[in-house]
Amino acid sequence: MSLAIPEDEVVETAETDETVAVPEMPEDTFSGTRDEFSDYVLTADGAKFYYELDGERRSIVIPYLEIHTYMTVTESGNVVAEGIRELDPNKPMIAMTFDDGPHFEQTPRLLEALEKNGARATFFVLGDRVLWGPSNEKALKMIYESGNEVASHTYSHKDLKTLSAEKITEEIVKTRNAIYSVIGEYPTLVRPPYGNYDDEVKAYSYAPLITWNLDSKDWSFRNAEKIVEKVLAEVKDGRIILMHDIYQSTVDAAEILMQELTSQGYQFVTVQELFYYKNVEPENGVVYHGGYN
Ligand code: ZN
């Protein structure tokens, strides 16, 4: 889960219970995994979470009425991270991922199809496409507001392996800023163009690197039937599927796949959801091909 703590929020230290201001943080949020926020008590004023920051044990009380802005607590009592739906962990899950957008026409079409099928996906967007014009910015906002996952595919789709550390950093930072300028949030995952990486790319992406373990070949087929056939032949619980929301045939194929595979019990999830339910804790500089290691 992710706890976004406003800078002016007041916290109490565990030992003395006296109130202190939250220390300055590099960004205005402090986030962590379920495990880091698993230590809490329910008090009269709200849920009191204990956590570690800069080696110090701290706590914060979140009033019950505000808890929904930080997280979702499911009926079964599990604390689910922000942006993660309550899904059936015993049913198979797949993450469709869409690269190279946003696309002013195809992205909204795809979002509508996802919504209709109760599905979600991850969009690895290009920084320069995000800033291409108002209709692309609108498409990115729609991805974000519909609960789908926004992730980075770098700024200008260069093969990062051919770039200097400085240029890799520039591709990453410019994309982070482009995305932030439109949706007010930074992406956490990066997909290197062409799935190409080396040690330098891993180090200077400052993020978990996400590739795939099922290539729909949509970029080469440009034919919905062939895309569907390839995915159905290789689909398997935990797979991350490479697709591109810039082709009409891809969106057509995604619609067919959602209908077909939902009826087979598959749940269409974001990469973040896939990792959450498959107990993968993504780390910066590590490459992930699927929801199992
Ligand atoms: Zn790409």
Side-chain angles (χ1 to χ4, degrees):
M1 78 188 242
S2 164
L3 272 186
I5 302 172
E7 261 173 22
D8 57 356
E9 193 80 59
V10 168
V11 294
E12 298 169 354
T13 57
E15 271 77 41
T16 63
D17 242 23
E18 68 180 85
T19 54
V20 291
V22 166
E24 279 210 353
M25 288 171 230
E27 285 169 12
D28 61 3
T29 60
F30 170 59
S31 61
T33 64
R34 238 187 316 180
D35 291 335
E36 283 160 275
F37 292 112
S38 60
D39 190 1
Y40 66 93
V41 290
L42 302 179
T43 71
D45 297 323
K48 185 172 186 175
F49 288 89
Y50 295 96
Y51 62 99
E52 289 256 324
L53 188 65
D54 295 330
E56 268 189 78
R57 189 168 151 84
R58 298 172 178 278
S59 70
I60 182 171
V61 175
I62 301 178
Y64 295 115
L65 281 173
E66 275 175 49
I67 281 183
H68 71 280
T69 64
Y70 297 97
M71 74 189 87
T72 311
V73 180
T74 67
E75 281 170 37
S76 53
N78 293 319
V79 178
V80 169
E82 193 180 6
I84 305 233
R85 294 166 298 163
E86 188 173 14
L87 299 162
D88 187 343
N90 300 314
K91 279 174 143 185
M93 294 181 192
I94 38 171
M96 288 196 293
T97 59
F98 296 93
D99 292 9
D100 298 359
H103 187 284
F104 71 101
E105 195 179 357
Q106 300 308 331
T107 305
R109 257 190 80 209
L110 175 60
L111 291 171
E112 209 181 306
L114 287 164
E115 177 77 41
K116 219 169 66 189
N117 288 282
R120 281 191 186 167
T122 300
F123 293 76
F124 289 94
V125 300
L126 291 169
D128 64 357
R129 290 237 166 124
V130 165
L131 301 180
W132 212 321
S135 53
N136 279 20
E137 288 184 18
K138 192 176 161 207
L140 182 70
K141 269 198 198 121
M142 288 171 75
I143 297 172
Y144 177 67
E145 284 164 5
S146 56
N148 288 283
E149 183 172 26
V150 175
S152 165
H153 193 34
T154 74
Y155 195 79
S156 52
H157 213 276
K158 294 195 178 86
D159 181 350
L160 298 181
K161 275 176 80 175
T162 66
L163 302 184
S164 65
E166 198 183 11
K167 287 283 174 200
I168 297 170
T169 304
E170 192 183 312
E171 283 282 319
I172 297 298
V173 171
K174 274 171 80 180
T175 312
R176 282 171 59 81
N177 292 341
I179 290 171
Y180 188 87
S181 74
V182 176
I183 64 169
E185 291 237 13
Y186 291 107
T188 51
L189 306 175
V190 167
R191 169 167 288 161
Y194 316 103
N196 280 352
Y197 57 85
D198 56 16
D199 285 346
E200 203 168 56
V201 173
K202 288 194 226 171
Y204 291 97
S205 292
Y206 309 101
L209 295 173
I210 312 300
T211 58
W212 56 87
N213 49 19
L214 201 173
D215 184 352
S216 73
K217 295 260 186 219
D218 62 336
W219 48 274
S220 116
F221 290 144
R222 310 281 183 97
N223 174 304
E225 245 174 74
K226 285 187 177 169
I227 298 165
V228 168
E229 196 184 332
K230 178 138 196 321
V231 173
L232 289 182
E234 296 175 28
V235 70
K236 195 174 140 188
D237 180 31
R239 288 220 143 142
I240 293 178
I241 307 174
L242 173 67
M243 301 175 92
H244 300 79
D245 56 326
I246 53 172
Y247 308 119
Q248 185 173 340
S249 51
T250 297
V251 179
D252 292 345
E255 281 202 80
I256 299 167
L257 286 168
M258 283 188 273
Q259 282 162 20
E260 173 60 31
L261 291 172
T262 302
S263 72
Q264 289 183 26
Y266 277 92
Q267 300 169 99
F268 286 81
V269 300
T270 63
V271 171
Q272 194 197 4
E273 287 176 329
L274 186 68
F275 285 173
Y276 179 88
Y277 284 102
K278 301 295 182 193
N279 294 315
V280 176
E281 288 194 14
E283 287 172 43
N284 289 359
V286 177
V287 181
Y288 301 87
H289 308 287
Y292 42 85
N293 284 336

